[in-house]
């Protein structure tokens, strides 16, 4: 398997693939989450977006917390013990394997992403507990055939699997996006689930348009979709939507438990630029205002 532990992935090979002249979605997402695994070009892209939408970074924070709630619900209430998270992004706090294995240590998780900086970090950070297993596949979402083939080395495709496509399909146009989801779900057994979120075209459209336009100027392309277009990913594949259906991401079973680092002393905080203040904002202070992402969970009959 071509994962993060593959000795063929040398440090030199990984570094040669990292382009620091253009922003990358995974690294810009890291900026929005208050992380530190990015480059100046990614901060610039994030800063331009925030200039157009001052609280837009909370979209990333709420999206990440939706993942926590969805994984927790599947492990605790549905007995799911296998996850395939595609477009996983940079390792951060509360990754899928950490959430799942904290509840059910035997859980197995496979991540897939094609960003070399994610690959570089996966080796050190995506370590599993002794009872479970965690693997990483270095592959693009569009190469779903390879992902499924390699994931079968870790996951049992005769047992239910939760497929995570969280904030990743809005980088792919319509024909390809719906086909990819169909092919992935066709490979999963009955009782499997889809964890899904997507940037919205019909939530706060004026603010969202400003953000996406700034990202496009930075070289990132987005395909925003409406609530009805998000529902298609479920209905066209025969999935049963779990309550509360397709909703703005903060409204998906909120529990007010998003972790927030303690605020530093005021002098230090005031010395930080806007980007570095992000991680200290409490997302629980903001419900659905400004958060233009649809989210849903669905079960394959």
């Amino acid at each position: 398997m071509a994962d993060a532990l593959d000795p063929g992935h040398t440090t030199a090979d990984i570094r040669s693939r990292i382009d620091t002249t253009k922003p990358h979605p995974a690294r810009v997402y890291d900026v929005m989450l208050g992380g530190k695994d990015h480059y100046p070009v990614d901060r610039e892209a994030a800063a331009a977006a925030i200039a157009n939408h001052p609280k837009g970074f909370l979209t990333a924070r709420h999206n990440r917390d939706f993942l926590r709630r969805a994984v927790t619900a599947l492990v605790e209430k549905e007995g799911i013990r296998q996850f395939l998270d595609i477009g996983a992004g940079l390792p951060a706090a509360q990754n899928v394997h950490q959430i799942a294995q904290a509840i059910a240590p035997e859980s197995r998780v496979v991540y897939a992403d094609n960003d070399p900086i994610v690959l570089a970090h996966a080796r050190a950070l995506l370590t599993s507990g002794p009872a479970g297993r965690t693997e990483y596949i270095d592959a693009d979402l569009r190469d779903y055939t390879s992902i499924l083939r390699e994931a079968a080395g870790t996951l049992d495709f005769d047992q239910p699997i939760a497929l995570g496509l969280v904030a990743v399909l809005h980088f792919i146009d319509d024909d390809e996006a719906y086909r990819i989801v169909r092919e992935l779900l066709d490979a999963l057994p009955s009782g499997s689930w889809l964890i899904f979120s997507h940037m919205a075209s019909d939530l706060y459209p004026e603010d969202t348009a400003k953000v996406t336009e700034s990202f496009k100027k930075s070289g990132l392309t987005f395909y925003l979709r409406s609530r009805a277009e998000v529902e298609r990913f479920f209905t066209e594949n025969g999935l049963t939507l779990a309550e509360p259906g397709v909703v703005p991401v903060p409204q998906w079973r909120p529990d007010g438990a998003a972790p927030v680092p303690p605020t530093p002393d005021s002098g230090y905080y005031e010395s930080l630029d806007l980007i570095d203040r992000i991680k200290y904002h409490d997302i629980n202070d903001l419900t659905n205002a400004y958060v233009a992402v649809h989210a849903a969970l669905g079960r394959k009959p």
Side-chain angles (χ1 to χ4, degrees), residues 164-184:
L165 295 172
V166 177
V168 65
L169 263 296
H170 46 235
F171 299 113
I172 299 177
D173 66 20
D174 276 352
D175 290 343
E176 191 172 16
Y178 288 105
R179 177 177 57 80
I180 287 171
V181 175
R182 181 176 65 250
E183 295 289 347
L184 285 168

Side-chain angles (χ1 to χ4, degrees), residues 10 37 43 70 97 116 168 238 278:
T10 66
D37 298 309
R43 287 176 69 93
H97 72 286
V168 65
I278 285 175

